[in-house]
Amino acid sequence: LAENQFGAGRVTASANDDGQVTNTGNVDAYIRTAVVVNWMDGDGNVYSIRPSYTVSVNSGWSQIGDFYYYTAEVAPDGTTATAPVNVSVSGNPPSAAYSLRIEILAEAIQADGDTDSGDIPAYQDAWGISAIGG
């Protein structure tokens, strides 16, 4: 008697301290990120006025709307070559109690396979974009 064994795909991602994103799942994935920039005190309180800053998109990433998309698939345990952006802040913290906090929020979606919406890639169906890449 033959026995089939199936494993479920797991799609997860995590940003490291350098802003690079690792595919922590077990299937190839596309990665997108959001970047949040705030002044924050030692207790985690966010200052009500955001810093004045500019963002430059790094090679290998593409900005679409408010998100930054890595332009290549990332293998399981693979990491993006760079962080999505470089952030340049102008001005000083509102007081000595606050420091700059840049958070990279990462999201991943399966790279292969179609969706219930038809013969389209999962990123098109879930993220509402027509292509990843520049």
Side-chain angles (χ1 to χ4, degrees):
L1 179 64
E3 189 176 308
N4 291 328
Q5 294 185 0
F6 297 93
R10 182 174 44 87
V11 183
T12 55
S14 177
N16 65 26
D17 290 340
D18 294 329
Q20 294 170 288
V21 180
T22 299
N23 175 357
T24 55
N26 63 4
V27 296
D28 289 353
Y30 285 112
I31 305 289
R32 80 174 181 176
T33 65
V35 178
V36 180
V37 181
N38 287 304
W39 297 117
M40 187 175 289
D41 70 12
D43 294 329
N45 298 309
V46 173
Y47 190 68
S48 61
I49 299 172
R50 293 178 65 189
S52 177
Y53 65 94
T54 58
V55 172
S56 60
V57 180
N58 285 327
S59 178
W61 293 85
S62 179
Q63 182 178 6
I64 303 171
D66 293 332
F67 292 96
Y68 302 92
Y69 296 82
Y70 197 61
T71 57
E73 295 179 16
V74 179
D77 298 320
T79 301
T80 61
T82 62
V85 297
N86 286 319
V87 177
S88 298
V89 175
S90 57
N92 296 315
S95 76
Y98 288 88
S99 61
L100 186 65
R101 173 72 181 238
I102 301 171
E103 293 181 274
I104 306 293
L105 307 175
E107 183 177 38
I109 195 161
Q110 71 188 37
D112 294 326
D114 300 325
T115 66
D116 291 339
S117 297
D119 188 20
I120 61 172
Y123 70 81
Q124 286 182 2
D125 185 43
W127 293 342
I129 59 173
S130 60
I132 291 181

